[in-house]
Amino acid sequence: AIESDPRICQALFVIFKSRGNIHLAKDLNIGLSRRQLRRLFNRKVGGSIKTFSRVVRFQHVLNTMQASQNYTGYQLPDAGYYDQSHFIKEFKTFYGQTPSDIFT
């Protein structure tokens, strides 16, 4: 179980605290090599660190947009998206439609 491995708990804490906006090599220094961490994370959580972080980041943006109810112009919080097109591509990947299809 995840609870039984403090390294995974620490990695999850860092991912959630950063709202998914992490750099694996810099931010997840928990005493394991990157390869060991990826393998352990995949075994315990069931996916890659990068995918999990992308989902957390995307979820944070959706929650922020919903709370502000400001869907026009996609006011992106500091979430690690390079630009609006990067966000729209990620939105379509996770949601299946573009933000303008959903919020207009």
Side-chain angles (χ1 to χ4, degrees), residues 28-61:
L28 286 180
N29 186 9
I30 61 171
L32 294 173
S33 71
R34 284 183 278 181
R35 185 174 181 188
Q36 288 175 315
L37 177 59
R38 280 194 299 263
R39 206 172 22 235
L40 183 64
F41 195 91
N42 188 35
R43 188 170 59 239
K44 297 287 186 174
V45 178
S48 76
I49 297 168
K50 183 176 180 177
T51 300
F52 187 81
S53 296
R54 286 175 59 208
V55 169
V56 169
R57 178 177 61 182
F58 180 72
Q59 194 171 34
H60 167 68
V61 171

